[in-house]
């Protein structure tokens, strides 16, 4: 589907770029971008590879990633920026999993129907403890008819697949979460899914601040960087030092990956994921959130609380609706109604 939004955004960028725009407090370039393009440009800055093929509206993210590759050729670390063009969204996710297995900092962009058709691949990535980050542009699942509007069915369906899950309220949060989720994923070795609503965020032009070089170097670092394993389980697997993005598929050190297991062994492996990997995730994620807030002044907590003090009615929402109902709560308070907001 042709995106007229992309043409409009390019026109706005040419019209406004460099005219009276004050440098952002946290550094970085200020642009007008739709949410999925903002996420894609951010990934093209920090990642090494993108596996690309998606349905509307996530296809705009694939286009933005390709444009950035054609324009710059390298990421922030001076490494070649590469893409794999798959035949289908399922193929793109499979390619992204393969890239992550080989130690690449990889990403892909999917729409809601794409993700619903790839639930087994999500389980596979989580079971292999790959620090993969994918971006989801929500679109309603087909029912009695096709729909282009936002729907959270795919996001909810992924809840039991062993991934970290985030839902961006706006385009800036999609950019910020790309860094926060990436850092947490690479330390916890748990993949991350970052979702955004379709027409309200993925396709909506908004002001965004892209991450600047110093932030990326300090906050993330190169994928080949050696770090001390943050947990004892990782120390047992990797020794006293490990690669930030582990290279599990390595021709220099061949090993068997995902063998056929007996029932008892498989059950032990599934049960061990929580105490040895997932139980450490909240602390590692909170560390990333705190560090990002310290360096940028922007905080992405798990819960957004607005006017909860003394509230008699609390509205709970997810995604772009959070900002809308926060405005509703402000209006309701002026009318004498004690309304608060809890954003997930």
């Amino acid at each position: 589907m042709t995106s007229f939004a992309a043409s409009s955004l390019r026109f706005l960028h040419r019209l406004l770029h460099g005219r009276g725009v004050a440098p952002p407090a946290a550094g970085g370039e200020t642009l007008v971008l739709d949410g999925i393009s903002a996420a894609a440009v951010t990934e093209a800055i920090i990642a090494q590879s993108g596996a690309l093929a998606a349905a509307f509206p996530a296809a705009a993210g694939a286009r933005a990633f390709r444009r950035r590759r054609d324009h710059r050729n390298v990421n922030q670390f001076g490494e070649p920026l590469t893409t794999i063009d798959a035949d289908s969204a399922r193929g793109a996710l499979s390619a992204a999993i393969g890239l992550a297995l080989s130690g690449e900092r990889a990403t892909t962009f999917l729409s809601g129907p794409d993700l619903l058709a790839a639930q087994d691949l999500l389980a596979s990535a989580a079971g292999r403890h790959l620090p993969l980050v994918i971006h989801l542009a929500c679109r309603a699942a087909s029912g009695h008819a096709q729909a282009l509007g936002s729907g959270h069915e795919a996001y909810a369906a992924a809840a039991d697949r062993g991934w970290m899950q985030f839902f961006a309220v706006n385009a800036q949060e999609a950019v910020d979460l790309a860094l926060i989720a990436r850092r947490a994923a690479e330390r916890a070795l748990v993949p991350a899914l970052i979702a955004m609503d379709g027409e309200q965020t993925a396709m909506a032009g908004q002001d965004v601040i892209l991450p600047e070089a110093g932030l990326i170097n300090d906050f993330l670092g190169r994928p080949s960087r050696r770090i001390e394993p943050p947990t004892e389980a990782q120390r047992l697997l990797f020794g006293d030092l490990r690669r930030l993005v582990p290279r599990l598929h390595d021709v220099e050190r061949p090993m068997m990956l995902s063998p056929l297991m007996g029932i008892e062994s498989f059950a032990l492996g599934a049960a061990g994921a929580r105490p040895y990997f997932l139980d450490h995730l909240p602390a590692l994620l909170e560390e990333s959130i705190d560090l990002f807030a310290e360096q940028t002044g922007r905080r992405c907590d798990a819960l957004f609380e607005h006017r909860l003090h003394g509230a008699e009615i609390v509205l709970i929402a997810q995604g772009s609706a959070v900002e809308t109902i926060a405005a509703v709560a402000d209006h309701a308070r002026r009318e004498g109604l004690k309304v608060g907001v809890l954003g997930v």
Side-chain angles (χ1 to χ4, degrees):
M1 178 177 292
T2 302
S3 173
F4 297 103
S7 300
S8 301
L9 290 171
R10 288 194 293 271
F11 171 75
L12 284 172
H13 177 61
R14 289 196 298 269
L15 181 67
L16 301 175
H17 185 65
R19 297 188 180 183
V21 178
E29 187 178 6
T30 302
L31 297 173
V32 177
L33 289 172
D34 58 75
I36 194 65
S37 295
V41 171
T42 302
E43 287 290 354
I45 294 172
I46 65 177
Q48 296 169 293
S49 303
L52 309 177
F56 174 87
R63 289 194 297 269
F65 194 95
R66 288 192 194 95
R67 284 197 299 270
R68 182 81 180 191
R69 176 208 60 191
D70 294 340
H71 181 58
R72 299 290 177 92
N73 295 319
V74 296
N75 63 13
Q76 176 58 46
F77 304 102
E79 301 163 332
L81 184 63
T82 62
T83 58
I84 294 178
D85 292 317
D87 292 333
S88 65
R90 186 178 172 85
L93 181 53
S94 297
I97 289 173
L99 290 165
L101 277 169
S102 65
E104 294 271 306
R105 183 176 279 163
T107 190
T108 191
F109 311 92
L110 302 175
S111 69
D114 297 332
L115 194 69
L116 284 172
Q119 294 295 306
D120 58 322
L121 295 178
L122 293 183
S124 176
R128 289 166 171 80
H129 302 292
L130 303 180
L132 175 64
V133 176
I134 64 177
H135 296 266
L136 171 66
C138 286
R139 176 180 153 194
S142 300
H144 60 285
Q146 296 283 338
L148 299 181
S150 293
H152 294 184
E153 301 95 337
Y155 184 80
D160 283 337
R161 298 294 177 252
W163 287 56
M164 287 186 283
Q165 291 186 231
F166 305 85
F167 213 114
V169 169
N170 50 42
Q172 183 62 61
E173 199 163 270
V175 169
D176 295 347
L177 287 173
L179 272 71
I180 292 170
R182 179 72 66 177
R183 187 181 190 278
E186 291 177 351
R187 279 154 181 80
L189 299 184
V190 176
L193 172 67
I194 303 172
M196 65 187 80
D197 281 311
E199 66 272 29
Q200 298 89 352
T201 306
M203 300 167 59
Q206 301 175 16
D207 291 331
V208 296
I209 302 171
L210 296 179
E212 50 93 19
L215 172 64
I216 294 169
N217 289 329
D218 294 341
F219 190 74
L220 290 179
R222 292 178 179 271
S224 57
R225 171 185 164 196
R226 295 283 175 175
I227 65 168
E228 292 185 8
T231 69
E232 285 303 313
Q234 291 186 29
R235 193 177 303 276
L236 180 64
L237 289 173
F238 299 104
D240 292 334
L241 289 174
R242 73 162 172 88
R243 207 172 181 271
L244 184 58
V245 180
R247 183 172 287 152
L248 300 180
H249 182 80
D250 187 348
V251 295
E252 301 294 331
R253 299 183 64 188
M255 70 174 81
M256 182 178 289
L257 298 173
S258 301
L260 179 64
M261 287 184 172
I263 297 172
E264 295 81 3
S265 296
F266 180 88
L268 287 172
R274 180 164 297 281
Y276 296 119
F277 287 92
L278 297 180
D279 282 351
H280 303 286
L281 180 56
L284 294 172
L285 177 57
E286 191 66 27
E287 177 189 281
S288 295
I289 291 172
D290 290 342
L291 182 60
F292 186 84
E294 177 185 319
Q295 296 191 9
T296 66
R298 298 190 299 273
R299 189 169 188 88
C300 298
D301 283 318
L303 295 176
F304 168 80
E305 300 179 1
H306 182 69
R307 290 185 175 269
L308 290 182
H309 182 71
E312 296 176 351
I313 300 172
V314 176
L315 305 175
I316 303 175
Q318 187 177 59
S320 59
V322 172
E323 290 185 329
T324 301
I325 66 170
V328 170
D330 290 339
H331 177 75
R333 288 277 181 163
R334 289 193 294 269
E335 297 295 322
L337 297 174
K338 297 180 180 180
V339 177
V341 175
L342 190 65
V344 182

